[in-house]
Amino acid sequence: MPTFDYAPAPESPSIVDIQPSYGLFIGGEMVEPVDGTRFKTVNPATEEVLSEVVAAGPEDVDRAVAAARAAYDGAWSRLSGRDRGKYLYRLARIVQERSRELAVLESIDNGKPIRESRDVDVPLVAAHFFYYAGWADKLAYAGFGADPRPLGVAAQVIPWNFPLLMLAWKIAPALACGNTVVLKPAETTPLTALAFADICRQADLPPGVVNIVTGAGETGRTLVEHRGVDKVAFTGSTEVGRQIARSVAGTRKKVTLELGGKAANVVFDDAPLDQAVEGIVNGIFFNQGHVCCAGSRLLVQESVADELLAGLKRRLTTLRLGDPLDKNTDIGAINSAEQLDKIRMLSEIGETEGAERWSPPCELPERGFWFPPTVFTGVSQSHRIAREEIFGPVLSVLTFRTPTEAVEKANNTPYGLSAGVWTEKGSRILWMAQRLRAGVVWANTFNRFDPTSPFGGYKESGYGREGGRHGLEAYLDV
Ligand code: NDP
């Protein structure tokens, strides 16, 4: 139980101005849809309707792609890198200036704790724009030839787990390289993308360089299949990634896919266990486990398993679940009723298959979508909770005896996005990192992001890299 009580410390929502309805951001203006319909977006912590947004239809998508093409041909591709950089710096600075508003809006729309949107998501958004602003006039030195050219119009489809951060990962490198974009935010989290549309206007970005079309999966499909698109960038489920790969096969479109993961967080017996506990909590309970690189499989060396699990359970009893806008909150709301159903379903399967389920005592709010932090022990590699991405606050614990066994178990997954290693020995970290088939390997830390560091997967986690110098390649004709 918590050592002492905290008084509520809610961040005020009055800083955000959510309009009752929104149009689409096309050609530098908010416009009414031509053939789109409207749907409601809700606050997942309260189920209260926040606003009505457009599900863009084929003609709307067509208009957005045409606006992006006109901006590409007319202005953006001819602008010097230095001038593109100035716009990106401007976007970065406005994100910083409006950071409190963006953090509150993200927490309201997504359900994530304000502590995370304020201290992780929004600062990283600004950092991404700053970082790629710096590249805009240095592309000739990036290792992709003396005069690397942009691709043209990029179609970008992003998920709901880090709405504004995924927008930044997509838009910042695309613009730095001289492309224009049409971006579709996820159905359940459109509001910060629409706020970003306002930031583009505030920055005087030339009309049509960034276009934002809201909608559901069908709008995403129409956008990626549009013939006027030169590049497709997608982050989301492996299943939809596969459909997209099929639909662009045989076209001239360049594609990057950031898909799912089932990362192993490997704790050796010489690891500092208190720190490892913090890393495990950060690995799977950060953002309610809605993280593609989440450390959802804990592999712990058998000799320290009991001690580590006791420490982990003690720590989990101190996590606070509740109002995402409360600054004390550690665990916010699950993003949607559908996602909650999926987490519940897989957790029930975990019990049926014989794993032991544990959650700390924890009161769930009556309204909204909530799931307690959950740990499964006695998990074997064949269990579905050890193989499938749950995308929720659910940890599956397995044990190992030797480093070789740890590597085999860690790599026994169709995914390969990330992994963690906890040990005192530098040599062991390097030994493990060479053998783990994962795009990112964290050592004695987890879920740490930086715009200078490339991120991406092996196997069913997708292809292409985002972030860092490598992230430029996805948006250049090389
Ligand atoms: P999706 O892959 O369906 O959604 C990602 C984005 O793609 C959304 O903007 C979505 O729109 C859009 N989309 C859906 N169908 C298509 C299509 N045929 N063509 C183009 N775009 C499309 O993920 P879900 O939100 O349905 O989540 C399902 C599961 O995926 C989760 O439980 C989780 O396991 C995993 N996931 C993994 C993520 C990751 O980062 N690796 C991120 C999100 C989910 P819309 O929002 O309207 O569906």
Side-chain angles (χ1 to χ4, degrees):
M1 291 305 288
T3 40
F4 49 87
D5 286 335
Y6 283 66
E11 178 80 44
S12 166
S14 65
I15 192 166
V16 301
D17 177 21
I18 301 176
Q19 294 164 30
S21 76
Y22 289 88
L24 302 166
F25 185 60
I26 297 179
E29 295 173 44
M30 292 304 287
V31 298
E32 287 303 306
V34 179
D35 59 347
T37 50
R38 286 190 178 275
F39 65 95
K40 292 181 170 54
T41 180
V42 303
N43 178 339
T46 60
E47 296 176 59
E48 156 208 2
V49 173
L50 294 169
S51 183
E52 258 191 18
V53 296
V54 176
E59 282 188 45
D60 297 315
V61 170
D62 197 43
R63 215 157 39 126
V65 173
R69 174 66 55 194
Y72 179 76
D73 292 337
W76 197 247
S77 62
R78 300 203 202 144
L79 219 57
S80 69
R82 191 157 174 262
D83 286 337
R84 289 198 308 273
K86 280 187 199 164
Y87 282 109
L88 286 163
Y89 279 121
R90 213 182 273 174
L91 291 171
R93 281 195 297 267
I94 300 173
V95 166
Q96 283 187 321
E97 277 162 22
R98 294 176 62 171
S99 60
R100 187 157 159 238
E101 171 199 344
L102 292 171
V104 172
L105 188 58
E106 194 76 309
S107 284
I108 290 175
D109 200 21
N110 168 281
K112 63 174 67 201
I114 185 76
R115 198 167 57 84
E116 293 179 8
S117 50
R118 181 196 61 195
D119 298 347
V120 182
D121 295 52
V122 176
L124 278 172
V125 170
H128 254 83
F129 279 102
F130 277 121
Y131 175 72
Y132 280 109
W135 269 117
D137 63 348
K138 300 175 196 70
L139 297 177
Y141 311 101
F144 304 114
D147 185 23
R149 306 299 307 152
L151 294 164
V153 174
Q156 306 183 316
V157 177
I158 57 172
W160 43 262
N161 53 344
F162 293 93
L164 195 59
L165 183 57
M166 289 302 105
L167 173 149
W169 280 29
K170 297 279 178 284
I171 292 184
L175 264 48
C177 292
N179 305 276
T180 57
V181 308
V182 180
L183 177 129
K184 189 200 87 68
E187 177 183 359
T188 55
T189 53
L191 295 185
T192 43
L194 292 164
F196 186 78
D198 190 48
I199 289 175
C200 292
R201 279 199 302 203
Q202 202 183 336
D204 265 335
L205 194 69
V209 171
V210 169
N211 303 276
I212 294 181
V213 290
T214 49
E218 190 52 29
T219 306
R221 199 176 57 76
T222 310
L223 175 59
V224 303
E225 290 179 3
H226 196 286
R227 291 162 66 93
V229 157
D230 304 293
K231 153 86 191 175
V232 173
F234 171 78
T235 300
S237 60
T238 297
E239 189 195 334
V240 174
R242 265 196 209 107
Q243 287 172 26
I244 291 177
R246 270 197 293 270
S247 80
V248 300
T251 71
R252 69 193 149 85
K253 295 173 193 171
K254 197 166 168 176
V255 191
T256 36
L257 301 174
E258 297 280 352
L259 309 176
K262 191 75 189 175
N265 204 358
V266 185
V267 181
F268 285 96
D269 57 4
D270 63 345
L273 294 188
D274 288 352
Q275 286 175 39
V277 164
E278 290 307 308
I280 294 160
V281 170
N282 184 35
I284 184 64
F285 301 115
F286 172 64
N287 201 28
Q288 296 72 245
H290 301 328
V291 184
C292 48
C293 52
S296 51
R297 284 182 301 149
L298 171 63
L299 299 188
V300 53
Q301 198 153 12
E302 210 173 81
S303 49
V304 290
D306 289 347
E307 188 185 347
L308 184 82
L309 281 172
L312 179 65
K313 288 181 176 175
R314 217 170 23 245
R315 177 67 178 94
L316 292 182
T317 59
T318 66
L319 291 183
R320 279 150 214 285
L321 176 147
D323 180 6
L325 286 185
D326 190 320
K327 285 168 245 171
N328 297 317
T329 295
D330 300 301
I331 311 256
I334 300 302
N335 181 251
S336 65
E338 293 76 47
Q339 191 59 28
L340 181 58
D341 285 346
K342 182 180 167 190
I343 299 168
R344 282 185 178 148
M345 185 262 293
L346 279 165
S347 299
E348 275 156 28
I349 289 173
E351 276 183 293
T352 321
E353 288 185 333
E356 193 179 320
R357 179 176 180 165
W358 179 89
S359 287
C362 157
E363 232 174 86
L364 302 182
E366 271 171 25
R367 286 190 68 78
F369 315 127
W370 304 92
F371 198 85
T374 299
V375 176
F376 278 100
T377 47
V379 178
S380 82
Q381 295 191 80
S382 58
H383 286 166
R384 282 182 67 184
I385 52 168
R387 311 198 64 77
E388 294 180 28
E389 187 176 41
I390 301 175
F391 227 63
V394 181
L395 178 69
S396 299
V397 183
L398 297 95
T399 56
F400 67 91
R401 289 186 182 165
T402 65
T404 309
E405 186 186 346
V407 170
E408 272 175 27
K409 284 187 167 164
N411 287 340
N412 182 11
T413 165
Y415 297 110
L417 198 53
S418 67
V421 181
W422 296 82
T423 171
E424 195 186 52
K425 294 187 189 64
S427 57
R428 183 173 275 167
I429 290 170
L430 296 174
W431 189 89
M432 290 291 289
Q434 277 170 345
R435 287 161 180 78
L436 291 169
R437 295 283 291 161
V440 178
V441 178
W442 283 292
N444 295 325
T445 186
F446 209 94
N447 271 342
R448 207 168 262 267
F449 303 98
D450 190 287
T452 64
S453 175
F455 183 90
Y458 284 98
K459 302 193 277 186
E460 290 188 16
S461 292
Y463 39 81
R465 293 291 178 264
E466 291 186 313
R469 183 187 70 81
H470 303 69
L472 296 167
E473 189 179 352
Y475 290 97
L476 290 172
D477 187 11
V478 287

